[in-house]
Protein backbone atom coordinates (compact mmCIF):
# COMPACT_ATOMS: atom_id res chain seq x y z
CA UNK A 1 0.00 0.00 0.00
CA UNK A 2 1.56 3.28 -1.08
CA UNK A 3 -0.90 5.62 0.64
CA UNK A 4 -0.64 7.53 3.90
CA UNK A 5 -1.00 5.24 6.89
CA UNK A 6 -1.86 6.08 10.49
CA UNK A 7 -1.66 4.07 13.65
CA UNK A 8 -3.65 3.33 15.71
CA UNK A 9 -6.96 3.73 13.94
CA UNK A 10 -8.84 4.05 17.20
CA UNK A 11 -7.74 5.03 20.68
CA UNK A 12 -9.82 5.19 23.83
CA UNK A 13 -8.15 6.72 26.85
CA UNK A 14 -9.02 8.15 30.21
CA UNK A 15 -8.77 11.85 30.91
CA UNK A 16 -5.31 12.80 32.06
CA UNK A 17 -3.47 10.05 30.19
CA UNK A 18 -0.92 10.67 27.45
CA UNK A 19 -1.43 9.34 23.93
CA UNK A 20 0.80 9.16 20.87
CA UNK A 21 -0.21 8.71 17.26
CA UNK A 22 1.93 7.81 14.29
CA UNK A 23 1.72 8.83 10.63
CA UNK A 24 3.65 7.31 7.76
CA UNK A 25 3.40 9.55 4.68
CA UNK A 26 3.71 8.52 1.06
CA UNK A 27 7.38 7.67 0.73
CA UNK A 28 8.50 10.41 -1.67
CA UNK A 29 6.50 13.15 0.05
CA UNK A 30 8.60 15.60 2.05
CA UNK A 31 5.70 17.66 3.44
CA UNK A 32 3.53 16.31 6.22
CA UNK A 33 0.49 17.89 7.85
CA UNK A 34 -1.61 17.13 10.91
CA UNK A 35 -5.27 18.12 11.08
CA UNK A 36 -7.99 17.62 13.67
CA UNK A 37 -11.59 16.97 12.74
CA UNK A 38 -14.47 17.02 15.18
CA UNK A 39 -17.93 15.66 14.44
CA UNK A 40 -19.78 17.73 11.87
CA UNK A 41 -16.79 19.93 11.11
CA UNK A 42 -14.16 20.07 8.41
CA UNK A 43 -10.53 19.25 9.20
CA UNK A 44 -8.64 22.03 11.00
CA UNK A 45 -4.94 22.57 10.44
CA UNK A 46 -2.69 21.77 13.42
CA UNK A 47 0.89 21.73 12.20
CA UNK A 48 3.13 21.24 9.19
CA UNK A 49 6.56 19.71 8.55
CA UNK A 50 8.87 20.09 5.63
CA UNK A 51 11.30 17.21 5.95
CA UNK A 52 12.17 17.17 9.68
CA UNK A 53 11.51 20.87 10.28
CA UNK A 54 8.26 21.89 11.93
CA UNK A 55 7.47 25.12 10.10
CA UNK A 56 4.12 26.16 11.50
CA UNK A 57 1.88 25.39 14.44
CA UNK A 58 -1.72 26.46 14.72
CA UNK A 59 -2.96 28.23 17.83
CA UNK A 60 -5.16 25.14 18.21
CA UNK A 61 -2.02 23.24 19.18
CA UNK A 62 -1.77 23.92 22.90
CA UNK A 63 1.30 23.21 25.03
CA UNK A 64 -0.08 19.74 25.71
CA UNK A 65 0.42 18.83 22.07
CA UNK A 66 3.77 18.06 20.50
CA UNK A 67 4.62 16.74 17.07
CA UNK A 68 7.88 15.40 15.72
CA UNK A 69 9.27 14.13 12.48
CA UNK A 70 12.78 13.14 13.52
CA UNK A 71 14.15 11.76 10.27
CA UNK A 72 11.89 13.47 7.81
CA UNK A 73 9.89 10.31 7.26
CA UNK A 74 7.21 9.24 9.75
CA UNK A 75 5.74 11.68 12.26
CA UNK A 76 4.29 11.36 15.75
CA UNK A 77 1.70 13.51 17.48
CA UNK A 78 1.60 13.30 21.26
CA UNK A 79 -1.12 14.68 23.50
CA UNK A 80 -0.28 14.96 27.17
CA UNK A 81 -2.83 15.07 29.99
CA UNK A 82 -5.71 14.43 27.61
CA UNK A 83 -8.99 16.25 28.10
CA UNK A 84 -12.46 15.31 26.90
CA UNK A 85 -12.29 18.18 24.42
CA UNK A 86 -9.40 16.41 22.69
CA UNK A 87 -11.80 13.74 21.43
CA UNK A 88 -11.65 14.00 17.65
CA UNK A 89 -10.33 12.41 14.49
CA UNK A 90 -6.66 13.23 13.98
CA UNK A 91 -5.76 13.24 10.30
CA UNK A 92 -2.37 13.19 8.67
CA UNK A 93 -1.75 14.31 5.10
CA UNK A 94 1.31 14.46 2.88
CA UNK A 95 2.40 16.10 -0.32
CA UNK A 96 5.62 16.79 -2.15
CA UNK A 97 7.43 20.08 -2.63
CA UNK A 98 6.48 21.68 -5.88
CA UNK A 99 3.18 19.86 -5.99
CA UNK A 100 0.00 21.70 -6.59
CA UNK A 101 -1.50 21.44 -3.14
CA UNK A 102 -2.89 17.98 -3.63
CA UNK A 103 -2.62 16.70 -0.10
CA UNK A 104 -3.29 13.02 0.34
CA UNK A 105 -4.91 12.04 3.61
CA UNK A 106 -4.54 8.98 5.76
CA UNK A 107 -7.51 7.15 7.32
CA UNK A 108 -7.16 9.08 10.59
CA UNK A 109 -6.88 8.13 14.25
CA UNK A 110 -10.12 8.47 16.16
CA UNK A 111 -9.45 9.49 19.76
CA UNK A 112 -12.06 9.15 22.48
CA UNK A 113 -11.23 10.62 25.89
CA UNK A 114 -13.45 9.32 28.66
CA UNK B 1 -17.11 34.95 9.81
CA UNK B 2 -15.39 31.79 8.64
CA UNK B 3 -12.97 31.99 5.73
CA UNK B 4 -14.87 29.22 3.95
CA UNK B 5 -18.63 28.80 4.16
CA UNK B 6 -20.40 25.61 3.15
CA UNK B 7 -23.96 24.47 3.76
CA UNK B 8 -23.82 21.31 5.89
CA UNK B 9 -27.02 19.89 4.41
CA UNK B 10 -28.06 17.12 4.53
CA UNK B 11 -28.92 16.99 0.86
CA UNK B 12 -31.05 14.09 -0.37
CA UNK B 13 -31.50 13.41 -4.08
CA UNK B 14 -32.89 10.51 -6.13
CA UNK B 15 -30.48 8.32 -8.03
CA UNK B 16 -29.63 9.82 -11.42
CA UNK B 17 -30.13 13.42 -10.34
CA UNK B 18 -27.62 16.18 -10.93
CA UNK B 19 -26.13 17.34 -7.65
CA UNK B 20 -24.82 20.84 -7.08
CA UNK B 21 -22.55 21.55 -4.11
CA UNK B 22 -21.21 25.01 -3.36
CA UNK B 23 -18.85 27.00 -1.18
CA UNK B 24 -18.12 30.66 -0.73
CA UNK B 25 -14.94 32.13 0.66
CA UNK B 26 -13.63 35.46 1.86
CA UNK B 27 -9.84 35.21 1.49
CA UNK B 28 -8.72 36.69 -1.84
CA UNK B 29 -5.36 34.96 -1.46
CA UNK B 30 -6.83 31.53 -2.15
CA UNK B 31 -5.55 30.22 -5.46
CA UNK B 32 -5.98 26.46 -5.21
CA UNK B 33 -9.43 24.92 -4.88
CA UNK B 34 -10.18 21.32 -4.08
CA UNK B 35 -13.07 19.01 -3.40
CA UNK B 36 -12.66 16.05 -1.10
CA UNK B 37 -15.10 13.21 -0.51
CA UNK B 38 -15.26 11.69 2.95
CA UNK B 39 -17.10 8.54 3.84
CA UNK B 40 -18.17 8.02 7.42
CA UNK B 41 -15.22 7.42 9.75
CA UNK B 42 -12.70 7.58 6.89
CA UNK B 43 -10.09 10.14 5.84
CA UNK B 44 -10.88 12.67 3.09
CA UNK B 45 -10.25 11.51 -0.47
CA UNK B 46 -9.24 14.07 -3.11
CA UNK B 47 -11.82 14.28 -5.91
CA UNK B 48 -11.04 17.39 -7.91
CA UNK B 49 -8.40 20.07 -7.95
CA UNK B 50 -8.52 23.45 -9.75
CA UNK B 51 -6.04 26.28 -9.90
CA UNK B 52 -7.50 29.80 -10.12
CA UNK B 53 -10.75 30.37 -12.03
CA UNK B 54 -12.29 28.04 -14.54
CA UNK B 55 -13.90 24.66 -15.00
CA UNK B 56 -12.52 21.17 -14.75
CA UNK B 57 -14.29 17.97 -15.68
CA UNK B 58 -13.49 14.42 -14.63
CA UNK B 59 -16.03 11.80 -15.55
CA UNK B 60 -19.29 12.57 -13.80
CA UNK B 61 -17.72 15.38 -11.77
CA UNK B 62 -17.30 19.02 -12.80
CA UNK B 63 -15.62 21.64 -10.63
CA UNK B 64 -16.14 25.35 -11.23
CA UNK B 65 -14.32 28.30 -9.69
CA UNK B 66 -15.45 31.91 -9.97
CA UNK B 67 -12.82 33.99 -8.20
CA UNK B 68 -14.61 37.25 -8.94
CA UNK B 69 -17.56 36.05 -6.86
CA UNK B 70 -15.44 33.97 -4.48
CA UNK B 71 -17.67 31.01 -5.23
CA UNK B 72 -16.85 27.41 -6.10
CA UNK B 73 -19.09 24.56 -7.16
CA UNK B 74 -18.99 20.82 -7.66
CA UNK B 75 -21.51 19.17 -9.96
CA UNK B 76 -22.16 15.45 -9.94
CA UNK B 77 -24.03 14.05 -12.94
CA UNK B 78 -26.00 10.82 -12.89
CA UNK B 79 -25.60 10.54 -9.13
CA UNK B 80 -25.27 7.05 -7.68
CA UNK B 81 -25.98 5.68 -4.19
CA UNK B 82 -22.22 5.16 -3.87
CA UNK B 83 -21.82 8.95 -4.09
CA UNK B 84 -23.47 9.22 -0.67
CA UNK B 85 -20.82 10.85 1.50
CA UNK B 86 -19.76 14.17 2.93
CA UNK B 87 -18.20 16.53 0.38
CA UNK B 88 -15.64 18.99 1.68
CA UNK B 89 -14.52 22.03 -0.25
CA UNK B 90 -10.97 23.10 0.49
CA UNK B 91 -8.67 25.88 -0.61
CA UNK B 92 -5.23 27.34 -0.11
CA UNK B 93 -3.05 30.20 -1.21
CA UNK B 94 0.31 30.37 -2.88
CA UNK B 95 3.50 30.28 -0.92
CA UNK B 96 6.25 28.09 0.38
CA UNK B 97 3.74 25.66 1.77
CA UNK B 98 0.05 25.18 1.40
CA UNK B 99 -2.06 25.15 4.52
CA UNK B 100 -5.46 23.98 3.42
CA UNK B 101 -8.62 25.56 4.80
CA UNK B 102 -11.69 23.34 4.68
CA UNK B 103 -15.39 23.99 4.63
CA UNK B 104 -17.63 22.25 7.12
CA UNK B 105 -18.70 19.65 4.54
CA UNK B 106 -22.06 18.91 2.91
CA UNK B 107 -23.61 15.54 3.65
CA UNK B 108 -25.11 14.02 0.51
CA UNK B 109 -27.48 11.08 0.33
CA UNK B 110 -28.40 9.57 -3.02
CA UNK B 111 -31.56 7.51 -2.70
CA UNK B 112 -31.93 4.45 -4.96
Amino acid sequence: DTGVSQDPRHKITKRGQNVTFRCDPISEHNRLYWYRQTLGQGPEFLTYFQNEAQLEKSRLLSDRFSAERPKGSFSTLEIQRTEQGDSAMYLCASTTEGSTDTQYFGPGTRLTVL
Amino acid sequence: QKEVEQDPGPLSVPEGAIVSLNCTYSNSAFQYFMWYRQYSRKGPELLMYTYSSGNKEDGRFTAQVDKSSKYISLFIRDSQPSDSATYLCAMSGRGGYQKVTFGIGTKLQVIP
Side-chain angles (χ1 to χ4, degrees):
Chain A
D1 188 352
T2 57
V4 178
S5 62
Q6 292 187 245
D7 184 70
R9 296 291 305 278
H10 305 275
K11 178 71 177 179
I12 299 174
T13 191
K14 292 182 179 179
R15 189 176 52 188
Q17 299 294 305
N18 299 343
V19 294
T20 300
F21 311 140
R22 175 178 170 129
C23 170
D24 286 88
I26 294 172
S27 59
E28 63 268 26
H29 286 183
N30 63 338
R31 294 178 173 175
L32 185 149
Y33 305 76
W34 285 98
Y35 292 82
R36 181 174 69 186
Q37 186 176 24
T38 54
L39 195 63
Q41 301 293 321
E44 295 176 293
F45 171 79
L46 290 179
T47 190
Y48 151 75
F49 290 86
Q50 180 159 316
N51 299 312
E52 65 276 9
Q54 187 174 17
L55 297 186
E56 184 165 340
K57 292 171 59 173
S58 163
R59 59 179 174 79
L60 294 175
L61 217 62
S62 75
D63 291 345
R64 297 184 296 105
F65 288 71
S66 61
E68 295 182 343
R69 195 182 183 198
K71 296 183 180 179
S73 56
F74 72 92
S75 175
T76 58
L77 177 68
E78 181 183 15
I79 309 174
Q80 296 181 328
R81 304 180 305 281
T82 53
E83 301 172 355
Q84 287 184 327
D86 297 330
S87 296
M89 173 84 91
Y90 290 85
L91 293 162
C92 175
S94 71
T95 187
T96 189
E97 187 173 358
S99 77
T100 51
D101 279 309
T102 49
Q103 295 184 14
Y104 295 91
F105 281 82
T109 295
R110 182 168 296 279
L111 172 66
T112 301
V113 181
L114 301 177
Chain B
Q1 183 186 6
K2 291 185 177 181
E3 280 190 296
V4 179
E5 298 281 355
Q6 184 175 14
D7 187 333
L11 178 63
S12 292
V13 301
E15 183 176 354
I18 296 174
V19 176
S20 173
L21 304 167
N22 311 292
C23 288
T24 59
Y25 64 95
S26 57
N27 189 342
S28 300
F30 288 144
Q31 298 280 348
Y32 299 89
F33 303 91
M34 293 145 282
W35 286 94
Y36 284 84
R37 178 174 61 195
Q38 187 173 28
Y39 292 111
S40 180
R41 298 184 177 272
K42 303 288 186 182
E45 169 196 12
L46 181 68
L47 272 180
M48 299 284 287
Y49 159 84
T50 310
Y51 171 67
S52 195
S53 287
N55 295 355
K56 187 172 185 178
E57 186 173 324
D58 184 1
R60 296 185 296 112
F61 298 90
T62 300
Q64 289 185 351
V65 175
D66 182 348
K67 290 189 68 182
S68 63
S69 302
K70 296 189 177 64
Y71 188 87
I72 71 170
S73 302
L74 177 71
F75 299 95
I76 307 174
R77 291 183 298 279
D78 188 25
S79 56
Q80 303 295 311
S82 58
D83 295 328
S84 298
T86 295
Y87 289 80
L88 297 154
C89 64
M91 46 199 81
S92 65
R94 302 187 71 174
Y97 76 99
Q98 301 88 27
K99 182 186 83 170
V100 177
T101 302
F102 285 84
I104 195 174
T106 299
K107 188 170 185 178
L108 171 68
Q109 184 178 17
V110 180
I111 303 167

